[in-house]
């Protein structure tokens, strides 16, 4: 009995001596892991704050853009009104040219009549005033009387007609001038009012454009900050992944040494799956470095898009379509992310990691620190964040640099 107890005691002593260094190293590693997780959480909170600011910015932009659209419509109507007034003015000017000719003819007739009247007055002045009665009674006979009477009557009618025509032409000239002046004045007034309205609308439009430009600049700066925070978050997540892998390695190494020392069958730490592998049969594995993270249509590629770098590929699929881990690894982040709605990042060792974006919060089905297997269901397709429709945004990072996923999937 004593012989049996001694080997067990020696084994226990050896096990303790082997686990003490591991415990010390593990404590240090645990502290670093705890700190890194805290930093990741801080970046998560910062991302939430940035996302809230971006959403508030977008809310402010919407009414301004709506007002700009209204101003643009009103401005176009005012410009059309000015064009119409200009056309009316041009037409009136053509009418004025025609009227000038008529007025010129009328004025010439008035001048001729004035000359005729002036000549009549001059003759009367030179010859003295002769009575129509004297002319009649100076006739030699009755026939001469009738001739003189007819002549007098003709002269009187001519004088009367001359005076009527003179008055008519003078009135016509005065009336035409008055009407034309009224038309011109009215058109000029309308044109001035329309031009004043155009300037006011243009001024308001410029003011709104300045406000919108300020908000767009703020949005750009927030997006740049968000990108920087996301990069920092990825850096911390990458370090966390390395430490988690190191912790697992140390744990496995200590367990192996303890097993050798006690010669007892022990199993290493179990991998935390947090559920079954999910629909593994639906996972498209081409045998490349990484398997396809979702089944759907490739809707956008890696590279420049809309004036900025698109760091991954987009796989369009209905909301709720399963998402799979592209390879074995450790989840380094799972939660909200500015621009991505909600995202998952997985470290696969050797500096390689993957990112899955645009999930709804209930579409994230893993948690930070969890070990996942290739083809394991980790979430579902959503349409959250700055998304163009239900799809998965998928990135592969080598170190902290995004690379073209298609080189590793095909």
């Amino acid at each position: 009995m004593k012989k049996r107890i001694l080997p067990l005691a020696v084994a226990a002593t050896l096990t303790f001596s082997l686990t003490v260094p591991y415990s010390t190293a593990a404590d240090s590693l645990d502290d670093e892991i705890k700190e890194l997780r805290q930093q990741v959480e801080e970046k998560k909170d910062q991302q939430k704050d940035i996302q809230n600011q971006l959403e508030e910015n977008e809310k402010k932009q919407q009414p301004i853009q709506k007002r700009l659209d209204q101003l643009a419509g009103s401005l176009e109507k005012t410009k059309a009104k000015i064009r119409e007034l200009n056309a009316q003015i041009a037409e009136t000017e053509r009418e004025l040219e025609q009227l000038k000719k008529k007025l010129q003819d009328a004025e010439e007739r008035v001048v001729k009549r004035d000359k005729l009247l002036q000549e009549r007055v001059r003759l009367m002045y030179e010859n003295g005033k002769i009575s129509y009665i004297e002319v009649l009674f100076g006739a030699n006979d009755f026939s001469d009387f009738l001739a003189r009477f007819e002549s007098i009557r003709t002269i009187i009618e001519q004088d009367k007609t001359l005076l009527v025509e003179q008055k008519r032409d003078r009135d016509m000239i005065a009336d035409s001038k008055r009407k034309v002046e009224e038309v011109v004045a009215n058109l000029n007034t309308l044109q001035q009012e329309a031009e004043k309205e155009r300037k006011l609308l243009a001024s308001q439009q410029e003011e709104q454009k300045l406000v919108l430009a300020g908000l767009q600049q703020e949005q750009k700066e927030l997006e740049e900050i968000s990108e920087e925070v996301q990069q920092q978050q990825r850096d911390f997540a990458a370090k966390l992944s390395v430490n988690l892998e190191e912790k697992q390695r140390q744990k496995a190494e200590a367990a192996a040494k303890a097993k050798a020392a006690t010669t007892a069958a022990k199993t290493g730490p179990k991998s935390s799956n947090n559920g079954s592998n999910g629909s593994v049969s639906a996972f498209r594995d081409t045998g490349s470095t990484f398997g396809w993270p979702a089944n759907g249509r490739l809707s956008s590629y890696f590279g420049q898009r809309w004036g900025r770098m698109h760091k991954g590929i987009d796989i369009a699929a209905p909301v709720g379509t399963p998402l799979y881990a592209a390879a074995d690894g450790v989840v380094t982040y799972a939660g909200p992310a500015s621009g991505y709605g909600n995202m998952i990042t997985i470290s696969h060792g050797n500096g390689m990691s993957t990112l899955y974006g645009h999930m709804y919060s209930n579409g994230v089905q893993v948690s930070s620190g969890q070990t996942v297997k290739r083809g394991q269901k980790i979430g579902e397709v959503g349409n959250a964040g700055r998304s163009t429709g239900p799809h998965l945004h998928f990135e592969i990072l080598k170190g902290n640099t995004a690379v073209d996923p298609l080189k590793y999937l095909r």
Side-chain angles (χ1 to χ4, degrees):
M1 184 67 178
K2 289 181 179 180
K3 290 180 180 179
R4 187 179 178 186
I5 292 173
L6 184 59
L8 291 173
V10 172
T13 302
L14 288 171
T15 302
F16 177 75
S17 65
L18 289 170
T19 56
V20 167
Y22 162 74
S23 178
T24 303
D27 289 342
S28 176
L29 193 59
D30 284 341
D31 290 340
E32 191 171 349
I33 288 172
K34 182 179 179 182
E35 183 180 352
L36 285 169
R37 278 180 171 159
Q38 184 178 350
Q39 289 171 328
V40 169
E41 288 301 316
E42 287 175 357
K43 294 302 173 185
K44 183 197 295 187
D45 293 338
Q46 194 173 349
Q47 282 281 41
K48 285 182 181 178
D49 183 55
I50 294 171
Q51 183 63 32
N52 290 335
Q53 291 182 57
L54 281 167
E55 290 173 358
E56 187 65 27
N57 180 285
E58 186 177 353
K59 287 179 183 177
K60 290 179 181 178
Q61 285 191 45
Q62 288 174 353
I64 293 174
Q65 188 60 60
K66 184 177 179 181
R67 177 59 179 157
L68 276 172
D69 293 341
Q70 291 173 345
L71 286 170
S74 299
L75 193 58
E76 187 55 40
K77 288 180 181 179
T78 302
K79 287 179 179 178
K81 184 178 179 181
I82 291 173
R83 288 193 295 269
E84 183 180 348
L85 286 169
N86 287 336
Q88 290 180 13
I89 289 172
E91 180 63 26
T92 305
E93 287 176 348
R94 286 192 291 271
E95 291 177 3
L96 278 173
E97 289 299 320
Q98 295 174 359
L99 184 59
K100 282 180 181 178
K101 182 66 173 63
K102 291 180 180 179
L103 289 175
Q104 185 177 357
D105 293 342
E107 287 172 352
E108 288 176 356
R109 288 195 300 271
V110 168
V111 169
K112 287 180 181 179
R113 292 192 197 102
D114 280 343
K115 287 181 179 180
L116 181 59
L117 288 171
Q118 289 171 7
E119 181 66 19
R120 291 282 303 275
V121 170
R122 186 182 66 79
L123 289 172
M124 289 174 67
Y125 175 78
E126 289 177 352
N127 299 324
K129 186 175 180 182
I130 301 175
S131 170
Y132 290 138
I133 297 297
E134 292 176 353
V135 171
L136 288 174
F137 284 105
N140 296 321
D141 52 32
F142 186 72
S143 178
D144 185 26
F145 177 84
L146 290 176
R148 291 190 179 201
F149 178 81
E150 184 62 25
S151 296
I152 290 170
R153 189 182 67 80
T154 302
I155 290 171
I156 292 171
E157 287 296 326
Q158 286 177 347
D159 287 347
K160 182 180 178 182
T161 301
L162 189 66
L163 291 171
V164 169
E165 289 178 350
Q166 192 79 336
K167 184 177 184 304
R168 183 194 64 200
D169 282 348
R170 288 185 184 277
D171 290 344
M172 184 196 72
I173 292 170
D175 187 56
S176 297
K177 281 184 177 180
R178 179 181 58 78
K179 288 181 179 179
V180 170
E181 287 171 356
E182 287 178 357
V183 171
V184 171
N186 184 51
L187 286 173
N188 285 334
T189 299
L190 291 174
Q191 188 185 43
Q192 289 171 4
E193 290 175 354
E195 184 62 25
K196 185 178 179 181
E197 182 181 356
R198 185 196 67 77
K199 289 180 179 179
L200 178 62
L201 289 170
S203 175
Q204 292 176 349
Q205 189 181 50
E206 286 303 313
E207 289 175 3
Q208 293 297 309
K209 282 182 178 179
L210 286 173
V211 175
L212 183 62
L215 288 170
Q216 289 173 339
Q217 179 62 30
E218 179 185 280
Q219 179 184 11
K220 182 180 177 181
E221 290 172 358
L222 285 170
E223 287 174 346
E224 289 174 354
I225 294 171
S226 175
E227 185 67 28
E228 184 179 343
V229 171
Q230 285 179 11
Q231 189 59 51
Q232 292 172 352
Q233 191 179 48
R234 289 170 183 171
D235 293 342
F236 289 138
K239 291 178 183 177
L240 177 61
S241 175
V242 171
N243 286 357
L244 288 171
E245 289 176 3
E246 177 61 18
K247 183 177 179 181
Q248 288 183 338
R249 189 192 65 76
Q250 289 179 4
K251 194 173 180 181
E253 184 179 336
K257 289 180 179 178
K259 178 181 177 181
T262 58
T263 64
K266 292 183 180 180
T267 58
K270 292 183 180 179
S271 192
S272 175
N273 265 354
N274 193 25
S276 65
N277 279 357
S279 305
V280 178
S281 60
F283 176 61
R284 184 153 61 105
D285 196 340
T286 59
S288 299
T289 307
F290 294 97
W292 283 83
N295 291 316
R297 176 178 58 84
L298 188 60
S299 59
S300 188
Y301 293 82
F302 175 87
Q304 287 295 323
R305 184 181 72 169
W306 305 330
R308 61 188 301 177
M309 185 65 180
H310 186 232
K311 296 183 177 181
I313 59 172
D314 291 343
I315 301 174
V319 171
T321 300
L323 304 180
Y324 306 104
D328 295 349
V330 178
V331 178
T332 53
Y333 180 78
S338 177
Y340 290 106
N342 289 272
M343 75 175 185
I344 297 170
T345 56
I346 301 175
S347 174
H348 305 285
N350 298 320
M352 301 295 289
S353 59
T354 51
L355 180 150
Y356 312 73
H358 295 312
M359 288 160 284
Y360 294 118
S361 58
N362 60 358
V364 178
Q365 298 177 1
V366 290
S367 55
S368 297
Q370 179 179 335
T371 300
V372 293
K373 294 292 183 183
R374 185 184 183 98
Q376 177 180 332
K377 183 179 178 183
I378 58 173
E380 295 177 349
V381 168
N383 189 26
R386 290 191 294 278
S387 176
T388 55
H391 72 278
L392 166 67
H393 173 80
F394 178 68
E395 294 182 19
I396 294 179
L397 296 103
K398 195 172 184 179
N400 293 324
T401 304
V403 294
D404 188 354
L406 294 180
K407 293 181 180 179
Y408 296 84
L409 292 172
R410 292 175 174 172

